[in-house]
Amino acid sequence: MLSFFAGFTVGLSLIVAIGAQNIWVLSQSMAGANRLVIAAVCILCDAVLIVIGVYSVQLIQQWLPPLVPVLTWAGIAMLLWLAFGAAQRAWQGQGALLANSTVQVHSWQKTALTALAITLLNPHVYLDTVVLIGSVGSAQPEPFWFTLGACLASLCWFSALTGLAPKLKVWLSSPLRWRLFDSLVALLLTGIAIKLAL
């Protein structure tokens, strides 16, 4: 059972860190954009990558390094595109949730594809789930329980993030607060992109 708690702790500590995926999940969930679909895609991706990492970490570590530059630049492009969108909303003042009741919500299919892109084009997701969690998990006396704990951490985090979004939506009902939120999102995403580039 110690492996289970180790998996939950390690998984949660890596997943909770503020990153592009969490920012996107939060902003989309506050807009009411298919919260269950977003949570399901993020949890499923994490679970698959954690299982792959724990049970084939040595093989993954051999062929992952050549893919890192490609994933990094794809991730940078995606981050800058999202940052531009947030900055544009902040500048034009189009993001207020309750001031404008016609917030555009895409189909669940488009939301799922975007969630997949945000998750799988992020190089950190591979480093965190496959390499870091995989390395720790493969060294555990009970890798199965470690994997289960790490997957449960992802389930708890994304369920909480999407589930608590309506409460944050109320707080961000003012157009000014929402513009500040979009500005912060744009700055954070740009900062993460610059950090990746350097």
Side-chain angles (χ1 to χ4, degrees), residues 13-25:
S13 66
L14 291 172
I15 294 164
V16 168
I18 294 296
Q21 183 190 41
N22 286 337
I23 293 169
W24 181 82
V25 167

Side-chain angles (χ1 to χ4, degrees), residues 1-179:
M1 264 333 244
L2 285 176
S3 292
F4 173 82
F5 291 114
F8 186 85
T9 305
V10 170
L12 199 60
S13 66
L14 291 172
I15 294 164
V16 168
I18 294 296
Q21 183 190 41
N22 286 337
I23 293 169
W24 181 82
V25 167
L26 186 58
S27 60
Q28 290 296 301
S29 296
M30 283 191 294
N34 303 299
R35 291 184 291 143
L36 288 176
V37 172
I38 292 170
V41 169
C42 293
I43 292 164
L44 183 62
C45 286
D46 273 1
V48 168
L49 292 172
I50 288 167
V51 169
I52 289 172
V54 171
Y55 291 101
S56 58
V57 68
Q58 293 169 345
L59 179 64
I60 298 294
Q61 285 176 338
Q62 289 175 5
W63 60 259
L64 187 62
L67 291 178
V68 170
V70 175
L71 292 171
T72 299
W73 287 107
I76 289 168
M78 176 67 77
L79 288 170
L80 291 175
W81 177 71
L82 291 170
F84 174 75
Q88 193 173 36
R89 288 192 307 273
W91 179 260
Q92 295 173 351
Q94 294 178 344
L97 291 172
L98 297 183
N100 179 6
S101 60
T102 59
V103 176
Q104 185 179 6
V105 176
H106 299 291
S107 68
W108 71 266
Q109 296 95 331
K110 186 170 183 181
T111 302
L113 286 173
T114 306
L116 275 172
I118 295 292
T119 302
L120 299 179
L121 287 177
N122 178 6
H124 284 293
V125 78
Y126 299 100
L127 297 174
D128 289 348
T129 57
V130 176
V131 178
L132 295 175
I133 294 177
S135 298
V136 175
S138 64
Q140 294 294 313
E142 297 175 292
F144 170 79
W145 288 107
F146 179 92
T147 303
L148 192 62
C151 290
L152 183 62
S154 177
L155 173 68
C156 290
W157 172 249
F158 286 111
S159 297
L161 200 60
T162 55
L164 294 174
K167 294 189 182 301
L168 286 170
K169 177 180 176 178
V170 172
W171 187 78
L172 289 169
S173 59
S174 130
L176 176 61
R177 285 182 189 159
W178 189 253
R179 290 179 83 170

